[in-house]
Amino acid sequence: ALHNGIASGTGKRLGPETGDPQNFKTFDDLYDAFKKQFEFMARRIMWHARLADRLRIQFHRLPFESALAPGCLEKGMDAGEGGLPHYRFWMVKDRGIIPAADSLLAVKKLVFDEQQLTMQGLIDALDANFEGEDGQRIRQTCLSIPKYGNDIDEADKMVRDVAKFTASVLSSEKNIYGWPFVINRNGQSWHYSAGKKMGALPNGLKAKDILPDGSLSPMQGMDTHGPTAVLNSALKADFKESMGAILTLEFSPSLIRKEPERDKIADLTDTF
């Protein structure tokens, strides 16, 4: 969206032309461009997934899953052939929601609300991977913007809004049997490989840095208000449109060496 449909890392056009961001008058203009880019790419991915699924059922069987899943034995059909009586076997993942939402909020505040940066100045810093004295200054400004994971309503609700939108697009698509795809935000390692292919982001992440682990985890080092704030942010983000989501909390080893401290962590998770 910041490059009018061009992938900044390769210079190739991947998305539609949504306008020169320097001409965006409001944050809503940018957000609309982001949504158009996402919907265009997501629907192409779903088209590709259906092609793969039609081919996969010719060669790839799931005998163990089919023996356990309801409906397959009764129909005498493999799960991948449509033996299931419901659609929840067919899942799709929308990941990277946290860095996307944090980045959108950073542009909103820095370029449109507070006008600390020009759109072109921000884009130039991103394209240069925040290099140079001016780039480092801009990066610190980006990092200073409120981030998800600190129980800050504005940041948490941005995550919620982005998540609801991406899910609405994906769940509107149907699999090869005519059932809607189901959202599942799992995955423990995707953040590493995906980060290595990313350019710099307005949330302060440099190019090829690792994205936040888990689909509901804050950006590394940005949750500065403790674990309770992280859990409050996760509850506001909601993610109930997904079958599952992964939230990683990290504690000092000293917190689990004694029983009273372990009890506190148990109380924390039970209350969540």
Side-chain angles (χ1 to χ4, degrees):
L2 291 177
H3 294 83
N4 198 15
I6 301 294
S8 60
T10 63
K12 295 181 179 179
R13 174 166 297 283
L14 294 183
E17 293 187 22
T18 48
D20 184 345
Q22 292 188 78
N23 297 328
F24 294 160
K25 302 300 183 184
T26 67
F27 171 71
D28 287 341
D29 293 337
L30 171 65
Y31 201 10
D32 288 343
F34 164 78
K35 289 180 176 179
K36 289 175 183 177
Q37 295 289 343
F38 177 86
E39 184 167 3
F40 176 84
M41 296 182 189
R43 296 200 187 282
R44 287 181 66 89
I45 291 171
M46 295 295 94
W47 171 81
H48 179 270
R50 284 187 289 268
L51 289 181
D53 289 338
R54 290 189 182 97
L55 186 63
R56 184 181 295 113
I57 60 177
Q58 301 178 38
F59 304 100
H60 183 218
R61 294 291 184 263
L62 303 167
F64 186 71
E65 182 157 359
S66 300
L68 300 177
C72 296
L73 290 178
E74 291 80 356
K75 292 182 179 179
M77 295 177 67
D78 185 86
E81 294 178 296
L84 294 171
H86 52 78
Y87 63 84
R88 300 189 74 81
F89 174 77
W90 302 88
M91 298 177 290
V92 64
K93 304 175 185 182
D94 48 347
R95 292 287 308 275
I97 293 171
I98 304 303
D102 280 349
S103 294
L104 284 165
L105 183 59
V107 181
K108 178 180 184 295
K109 296 187 77 67
L110 293 175
V111 175
F112 295 102
D113 293 351
E114 302 171 3
Q115 298 182 350
Q116 294 189 49
L117 299 173
T118 65
M119 181 67 81
Q120 191 58 52
L122 174 61
I123 293 173
D124 288 345
L126 296 174
D127 289 345
N129 198 23
F130 298 115
E131 295 297 332
E133 184 176 340
D134 197 45
Q136 284 296 313
R137 178 188 61 80
I138 292 176
R139 181 174 186 242
Q140 292 305 312
T141 304
C142 292
L143 289 170
S144 70
I145 298 302
K147 300 290 192 295
Y148 163 82
N150 295 292
D151 197 8
I152 300 173
D153 286 349
E154 187 176 19
D156 301 338
K157 289 179 180 178
M158 181 67 77
V159 171
R160 179 77 194 110
D161 196 71
V162 171
K164 286 186 68 175
F165 165 72
T166 58
S168 71
V169 173
L170 296 176
S171 60
S172 71
E173 292 282 332
K174 295 182 178 180
N175 63 32
I176 58 176
Y177 301 110
W179 291 98
F181 281 96
V182 176
I183 307 300
N184 187 20
R185 294 170 181 153
N186 63 359
Q188 293 80 27
S189 59
W190 171 91
H191 61 283
Y192 181 85
S193 58
K196 292 300 180 183
K197 299 175 183 178
M198 292 289 296
L201 296 177
N203 66 349
L205 206 68
K206 299 190 73 173
K208 299 186 178 181
D209 277 354
I210 300 172
L211 298 178
D213 58 348
S215 56
L216 197 52
S217 301
M219 178 179 164
Q220 292 92 327
M222 290 295 103
D223 50 326
T224 58
H225 288 60
T228 304
V230 173
L231 297 182
N232 284 338
S233 290
L235 290 170
K236 281 183 281 184
D238 192 37
F239 276 25
K240 287 181 181 176
E241 63 274 8
S242 173
M243 286 183 67
I246 291 180
L247 169 63
T248 301
L249 290 179
E250 296 179 354
F251 296 98
S252 168
S254 63
L255 288 178
I256 58 173
R257 286 176 183 155
K258 295 181 180 180
E259 188 170 349
E261 282 71 23
R262 291 196 294 270
D263 289 342
K264 291 177 182 178
I265 294 177
D267 287 342
L268 182 75
T269 55
D270 287 346
T271 304
F272 173 68

